[in-house]
Amino acid sequence: MNAAKESKEAVEEAVHGVDMIFVMARMAVGTGTNRALVIAGIAKSMGILTVGIVTTPLSCEGRRRSTPVTEAFNLADDILQQGIRGFLI
């Protein structure tokens, strides 16, 4: 997380002038998710519409556990699928 905070000016420069940003990370050991939080916070503080996308770990990164987060992902998947179907019909 410190590396992203220390790079605040570089992040601000990279997203300067954009209206919307997608911040994507994978829930694994924490590196990506921690940096994603910092980057999303910087973008939000600049008034940029910020969309966060987080994926679950790959199967090779450890066994999968059923957690409230997994259940929330499943619910979010269902909602997104319904929304996309609405656009396509």
Side-chain angles (χ1 to χ4, degrees), residues 6-28:
E6 291 171 4
S7 303
K8 182 179 181 204
E9 290 179 10
V11 172
E12 290 173 341
E13 184 179 318
V15 299
H16 178 73
V18 302
D19 297 317
M20 183 176 189
I21 185 171
F22 288 86
V23 180
M24 301 191 294
R26 185 166 34 94
M27 286 178 21

Side-chain angles (χ1 to χ4, degrees), residues 18-72:
V18 302
D19 297 317
M20 183 176 189
I21 185 171
F22 288 86
V23 180
M24 301 191 294
R26 185 166 34 94
M27 286 178 21
V29 294
T31 305
T33 49
N34 289 336
R35 289 185 179 144
L37 287 172
V38 173
I39 292 168
I42 292 168
K44 183 179 176 186
S45 73
M46 295 173 66
I48 299 170
L49 177 61
T50 305
V51 177
I53 300 169
V54 181
T55 61
T56 55
L58 300 172
S59 59
C60 65
E61 293 176 311
R63 62 171 222 231
R64 296 183 98 162
R65 291 175 270 170
S66 181
T67 65
V69 172
T70 304
E71 293 170 16

Side-chain angles (χ1 to χ4, degrees), residues 2 11 23 53 72-73 77 83-84 86:
N2 287 336
V11 172
V23 180
I53 300 169
F73 274 125
D77 284 345
I84 290 170

